[in-house]
């Protein structure tokens, strides 16, 4: 019955799910005919399951984006696709290709061997004709594609010209593609699944007060543009009922540049940006205006830069994920994470370390340098020479007057805590060492250093010579986090935060452990991509390694080895190991996913790995996995568990 409902949904071409971005410019709906759009179903039951058989189609008739009725023969054998997003949709609809345009993202396995005939921007008509295609798939949004149509018609070559900007059009394309390939079951599996997710989300937000959003595209040279809701991301915002503040008092027209003074006067509830690079680059462009940090949405953590893969590019079969992520940002009151909600109702007993004693307004303890220290509570002039300690110190209610520079300070999620940290004066030189003149000039009453950092080790004699109180502390697992967090909360006299945040993390982690307690361990390798030195296999040591061990993973890169060490690994060896999952972190440059993928995709055998082909590769976000997640420990735990055991966290 569910499959029949989904097919009816496909026939109606998405009109009843919600009002999308089609409006007056939406693509015409496909024309129904007895031979094409309507499938005849015959349902028969076996003793163990329900089997559905579809009548094979000979042709599919629909109206394309140019308003022309097209009748396409089913199961074409020589197909050329010259639009990148359609490569994925065609391949996942059961289709094959003889030629395609170059893709920046991983290529589906069943079309990987298709010849690459250029990029979507420069593919030539002559090259296409060389393949004697029986079908060409192109986009209505590209003028050079449109200019080819008369030649295809003159030579009797079938073609599909469709617009693709929003979810409604995704459903239409999937309906056409799966019917042409006689695989309507794949529509149900992929498009139908996304439709169900999005319908549930839009129902949830329909009763909420519409979110007021200013949509921006940062540009370092031309200025930041206020964007209309005609983009893929804008269509999602419109479907979620958001109000576009940039066009609130006028008809939505062309994008335009708005001054920062005007944005401040507007005082948007939410600011969302896309394009202009990754979150770090966008933050640098927007933050270059001194007024940016005066915006209420920025100060209160309601500014978000959306990832390119889901919101600048077409999300394709991840539309449900894209809508869910966006809805949770602009309607946080509507979406309570089920795991978190469950955790709040779970009683936990927090550990309290006997390593810390309060004596006469001071906390007495042995630090990680094996020194007995006495630190006065509520220090007022704190300098922090370690990123992990800086993040945790602020999470424990502390403040600082000096900090060392770190890439994650600028690239991490933009919230109120991040804003406070970014405003702290930097005391490190370009080589990463602490500028002693700056440090001593500020007369700190406490310095927090890293136990194993070279720069911290060089700093210690100076601190001792000048009688400046200091200590070193760190952690490598959740128990260690609880211990260090309790110390920091005691020093800031904020044990209320320990009771609240540590308990929340413990409850959520316990909930994950309960879910996975009966699963079989999964095999994985953990990689670090380096542009010059190669790909390193990482051992299960440190924070992330311990996290993986707790989540029942077996690191096959070092299976059976005693005292393993991180080392360069060849693709041939990885293919031989055939791990179920490949995790990646950090690497050259900014350590981002984009940089990592650029390195991996240049390796000839990379896309031959089973885990890569089947979507079980993940480059982990730096703010949760490159360094310690600290007060977001449970978030990191849940993120990794959901990737490793998706069936348990649907």
């Amino acid at each position: 019955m569910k499959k029949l409902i989904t097919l009816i949904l496909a026939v109606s071409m998405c009109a009843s799910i919600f009002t999308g971005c089609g409006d007056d410019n939406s693509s015409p709906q496909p024309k129904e005919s007895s031979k094409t759009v309507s499938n005849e179903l015959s349902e028969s039951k076996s003793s163990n399951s329900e089997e559905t058989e579809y009548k094979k189609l000979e042709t599919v008739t629909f109206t394309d984006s140019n308003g022309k009725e097209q009748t396409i023969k089913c199961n074409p054998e020589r197909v050329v696709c010259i639009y990148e997003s359609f490569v994925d949709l065609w391949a996942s609809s059961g289709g094959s290709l003889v030629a395609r345009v170059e893709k920046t993202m991983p290529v589906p396995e069943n079309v990987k061997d298709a010849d690459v005939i250029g990029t979507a921007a420069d593919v030539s008509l002559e090259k296409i004709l060389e393949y004697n295609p029986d079908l060409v798939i192109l986009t209505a949004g590209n003028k050079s594609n449109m200019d080819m149509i008369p030649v295809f018609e003159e030579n009797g070559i079938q073609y599909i010209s469709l617009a693709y900007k929003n979810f409604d059009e995704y459903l239409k394309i999937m309906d056409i593609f799966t019917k042409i390939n006689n695989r309507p079951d794949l529509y149900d599996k992929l498009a139908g699944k996304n439709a169900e997710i999005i319908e549930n989300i839009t129902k949830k937000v329909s009763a909420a007060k519409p979110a007021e959003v200013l949509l921006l595209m940062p540009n370092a040279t031309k200025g930041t543009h206020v964007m209309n809701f005609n983009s893929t991301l804008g269509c999602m915002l419109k479907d979620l009922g958001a109000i576009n503040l940039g066009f609130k008092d006028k008809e939505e027209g062309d994008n335009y540049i708005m001054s920062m003074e005007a944005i401040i006067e507007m005082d948007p509830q939410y600011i969302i940006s896309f394009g202009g690079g990754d979150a770090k680059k966008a933050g640098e462009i927007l933050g270059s205006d001194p007024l940016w940090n005066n915006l209420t949405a920025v100060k209160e953590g309601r500014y978000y830069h959306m990832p390119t893969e889901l919101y600048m590019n077409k999300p394709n079969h991840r539309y449900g994920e894209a809508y869910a992520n966006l809805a949770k940002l602009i309607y946080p009151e509507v979406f309570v994470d089920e795991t978190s909600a469950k955790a709040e109702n779970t009683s936990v007993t927090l550990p309290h370390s006997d390593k810390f004693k309060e004596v006469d307004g001071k906390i007495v303890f042995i630090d990680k340098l094996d020194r007995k220290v006495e630190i006065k509570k509520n220090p007022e002039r704190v300098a922090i020479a370690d990123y992990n300690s800086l993040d945790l110190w602020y999470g424990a209610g502390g403040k600082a007057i000096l900090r060392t520079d770190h890439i994650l300070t600028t690239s991490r999620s933009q919230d109120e805590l991040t804003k406070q940290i970014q405003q702290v004066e930097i005391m490190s030189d370009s080589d990463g060492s602490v500028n002693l003149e700056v440090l001593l000039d500020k007369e700190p009453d406490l310095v927090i250093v890293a136990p194993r950092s070279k720069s911290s080790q060089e700093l210690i004699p100076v601190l001792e010579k000048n009688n400046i109180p200091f200590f070193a502390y760190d952690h490598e697992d959740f128990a260690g986090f609880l211990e260090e967090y309790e110390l920091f909360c005691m020093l800031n006299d904020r044990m209320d935060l320990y009771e609240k945040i540590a308990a929340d993390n413990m409850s959520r982690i316990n909930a994950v452990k309960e879910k996975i307690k009966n699963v079989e361990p999964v095999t994985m390798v953990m990689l670090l991509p380096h542009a010059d030195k190669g790909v390193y296999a990482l051992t299960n040591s440190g924070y992330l390694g311990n996290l993986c061990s707790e989540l029942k993973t077996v690191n096959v890169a070092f299976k059976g080895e005693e005292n393993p060490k991180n080392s360069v690994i060849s693709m041939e060896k990885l293919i031989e190991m055939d791990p179920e999952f490949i995790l990646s972190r950090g690497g050259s440059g900014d350590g981002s996913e984009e940089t990592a993928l650029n390195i991996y995709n240049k390796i000839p055998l990379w896309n031959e790995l089973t885990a890569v082909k089947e979507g079980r590769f993940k480059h982990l976000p730096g703010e949760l996995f490159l360094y310690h997640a600290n007060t977001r420990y449970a978030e990191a735990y849940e993120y990794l568990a959901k990737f490793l055991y998706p069936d348990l966290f649907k």
Side-chain angles (χ1 to χ4, degrees):
M1 183 65 181
K2 182 179 177 183
K3 289 186 177 180
L4 182 57
I5 292 172
T6 305
L7 286 169
I8 293 171
L9 174 65
V11 171
S12 66
M13 287 305 155
C14 333
S16 64
I17 297 178
F18 48 77
T19 301
C21 287
D23 299 332
D24 294 336
N25 297 319
S26 61
S27 301
Q29 303 304 309
K31 181 179 180 180
E32 297 184 24
S33 81
S34 60
K35 293 172 68 175
T36 59
V37 177
S38 297
N39 279 350
E40 297 179 10
L41 304 180
S42 60
E43 299 185 1
S44 60
K45 295 183 179 180
S46 65
S47 57
N48 297 321
S49 63
E50 182 180 317
E51 298 178 353
T52 304
E53 295 181 356
Y54 298 90
K55 181 179 179 179
K56 293 289 185 180
L57 301 178
E58 296 178 3
T59 60
V60 173
T61 298
F62 60 93
T63 304
D64 69 13
S65 299
N66 300 316
K68 183 172 182 177
E69 185 177 282
Q70 298 276 18
T71 297
I72 304 296
K73 294 179 181 178
C74 291
N75 302 109
E77 297 180 351
R78 300 191 57 77
V79 183
V80 176
C81 183
I82 58 175
Y83 182 51
E84 186 174 342
S85 291
F86 288 167
V87 171
D88 287 332
L89 298 186
W90 179 258
S92 61
S93 299
S96 61
L97 296 173
V98 294
R100 60 175 175 81
V101 289
E102 186 177 336
K103 280 181 56 62
T104 55
M105 299 302 286
V107 179
E109 182 65 22
N110 59 322
V111 296
K112 186 176 292 182
D113 293 335
D115 292 346
V116 176
I117 55 174
T119 67
D122 66 5
V123 64
S124 72
L125 176 61
E126 292 75 13
K127 195 73 174 175
I128 296 171
L129 296 177
E130 286 178 9
Y131 287 86
N132 190 26
D134 52 9
L135 177 64
V136 178
I137 303 173
L138 45 86
T139 173
N142 185 302
K143 184 179 182 300
S144 64
N145 281 197
M146 294 295 96
D147 291 343
M148 297 179 188
I149 289 178
V151 179
F152 297 148
E153 292 178 337
E154 183 180 335
N155 287 273
I157 299 172
Q158 297 185 119
Y159 65 90
I160 297 176
S161 170
L162 295 171
Y164 184 21
K165 184 172 61 179
N166 55 51
F167 182 64
D168 285 350
E169 289 170 346
Y170 158 81
L171 290 177
K172 174 178 179 176
I173 293 162
M174 283 299 294
D175 181 67
I176 293 171
F177 283 5
T178 53
K179 283 185 170 67
I180 290 173
N181 288 298
N182 271 301
R183 291 299 305 274
D185 58 307
L186 293 177
Y187 179 93
D188 195 20
K189 178 182 177 182
L190 300 169
K193 175 183 176 183
N194 278 279
E196 184 178 348
I197 292 171
I198 293 171
E199 185 175 17
N200 288 335
I201 291 170
T202 53
K203 282 182 179 178
K204 279 189 175 183
V205 304
S206 61
K209 181 181 178 181
E212 297 187 339
V213 176
L214 182 65
L215 185 61
L216 302 178
M217 180 174 285
N219 189 300
T221 55
K222 298 180 180 179
T224 295
H225 283 71
V226 173
M227 306 298 289
N228 58 39
F229 274 3
N230 290 331
S231 62
T232 297
L233 171 56
C235 288
M236 294 186 208
L237 288 166
K238 185 182 288 187
D239 290 337
L240 292 170
I243 296 171
N244 189 344
L245 283 181
F247 295 87
K248 186 176 182 180
D249 299 323
K250 58 182 177 179
E251 184 177 350
E252 187 164 287
D254 294 337
N255 307 321
Y256 63 95
I257 295 175
M258 177 182 284
S259 69
M260 198 60 67
E261 290 82 0
I263 296 176
I264 288 176
E265 184 178 351
M266 179 185 289
D267 195 27
Q269 179 187 11
Y270 293 96
I271 300 175
I272 292 177
S273 66
F274 68 117
D278 59 14
K280 178 183 177 183
K281 182 64 176 177
E284 290 173 351
I285 295 172
L286 295 169
S288 64
D289 191 311
L291 295 177
W292 172 253
N293 287 317
N294 292 334
L295 287 162
T296 305
V298 176
K299 291 190 288 186
E300 297 183 359
R302 296 194 304 275
Y303 160 65
Y304 308 102
H305 184 75
M306 308 309 291
T308 295
E309 63 180 17
L310 289 182
Y311 301 98
M312 188 75 174
N313 299 339
K314 305 296 188 295
N316 288 345
H317 304 312
R318 297 174 65 189
Y319 256 111
E321 177 186 346
Y323 271 82
N325 292 343
L326 188 59
K328 290 174 183 178
L329 293 180
I330 63 175
Y331 297 106
E333 72 281 1
V334 175
F335 297 89
V336 179
D337 186 271
E338 294 181 2
T339 308
S340 299
K342 194 178 294 183
E344 290 175 2
N345 297 323
T346 304
S347 176
V348 296
T349 302
L350 281 174
H352 291 278
S353 176
D354 59 3
K355 297 179 181 179
F356 315 124
K357 305 293 184 184
E358 183 174 349
V359 180
D360 297 330
K362 296 180 179 180
I363 306 300
V364 182
F365 59 97
I366 305 297
D367 75 356
K368 295 295 183 176
L369 300 174
D370 291 327
R371 302 165 53 251
K372 181 178 179 180
V373 293
E374 299 181 6
I375 305 297
K376 184 180 178 181
K377 290 175 63 177
N378 297 311
E380 297 179 353
R381 302 184 60 76
V382 181
I384 303 178
D386 171 50
Y387 173 79
N388 286 324
S389 296
L390 175 70
D391 179 66
L392 192 59
W393 184 257
Y394 270 77
K399 305 292 181 186
I401 60 168
L402 290 172
R403 64 174 174 87
T404 48
D405 197 12
H406 194 282
I407 188 171
L408 285 183
T409 306
T410 54
S411 63
R412 57 188 276 161
S413 298
Q414 297 295 309
D415 55 18
E416 179 60 22
L417 197 65
T418 298
K419 177 181 175 296
Q420 293 177 17
I421 290 173
Q422 290 174 344
Q423 291 177 342
V424 178
E425 182 179 347
I426 297 173
M427 63 176 175
S428 55
D429 291 326
S430 58
D431 62 357
S433 61
V434 174
N435 187 314
L436 298 177
E437 184 178 345
V438 172
L439 175 66
L440 296 176
D441 184 62
K442 290 293 186 179
E443 299 181 351
D445 57 5
L446 174 63
V447 177
I448 303 175
V449 299
R452 294 181 292 274
S453 164
K454 180 181 177 182
S455 60
S456 289
Q457 295 300 319
E458 294 172 347
L459 179 61
I460 289 173
V462 178
L463 300 175
E464 292 176 331
K465 180 180 178 180
N466 289 273
N467 296 315
I468 299 174
F470 73 94
F471 72 88
Y473 228 88
D474 65 359
H475 64 271
E476 296 293 349
D477 55 21
F478 184 62
F481 154 73
L482 291 175
E483 180 178 291
E484 186 174 4
Y485 189 49
E486 182 180 20
L487 169 62
F488 282 17
C489 287
M490 291 178 71
L491 287 168
N492 287 300
D493 202 16
R494 290 300 308 271
M495 286 302 289
D496 60 308
L497 291 177
Y498 179 73
E499 298 293 336
K500 176 184 177 181
I501 294 175
D504 175 68
N505 276 271
M506 180 177 282
S507 296
R508 290 163 63 184
I509 288 172
N510 287 346
V512 172
K513 288 181 175 179
E514 179 66 22
K515 274 184 175 288
I516 69 171
K517 67 180 181 180
N518 295 320
V519 301
E520 291 295 321
V522 296
T523 61
M524 65 87 178
V525 293
M526 195 185 313
L527 304 179
L528 183 146
H530 196 284
D532 301 320
K533 299 179 181 179
V535 175
Y536 282 78
L538 306 180
T539 65
N540 269 30
S541 61
Y543 154 71
L544 178 55
N546 288 325
L547 187 59
C548 288
S549 296
E550 290 178 20
L551 289 170
K552 297 188 174 183
T553 65
V554 177
N555 191 337
V556 292
F558 301 97
K559 192 173 182 180
E561 290 189 26
E562 293 184 11
N563 303 316
K565 294 182 179 180
N566 301 336
S567 57
V568 174
I569 189 169
S570 69
M571 286 300 112
E572 290 81 2
K573 188 174 181 181
L574 273 176
I575 289 174
E576 182 182 344
M577 290 174 179
D578 196 27
E580 294 175 78
F581 292 89
I582 298 178
L583 305 177
S584 170
R585 52 169 275 190
S588 297
D590 58 4
S592 67
E593 180 180 30
E594 181 179 1
T595 301
L597 285 173
N598 284 337
I599 295 172
Y600 289 130
N601 286 328
K602 290 178 181 177
I603 302 172
L605 294 176
W606 172 254
N607 287 307
E608 297 301 314
L609 289 162
T610 305
V612 175
K613 291 189 290 187
E614 297 184 359
R616 297 194 301 275
F617 160 76
K618 178 75 72 175
H619 186 75
L620 302 171
E623 59 186 296
L624 289 180
F625 298 101
L626 184 56
Y627 290 85
H628 299 350
N630 290 330
T631 54
R632 297 171 65 187
Y633 209 110
E635 183 180 342
Y637 216 92
E638 293 163 351
Y639 181 102
L640 201 51
K642 289 175 182 178
F643 176 64
L644 296 170
Y645 306 105
D647 290 343
L648 296 179
F649 294 90
K650 287 183 178 178

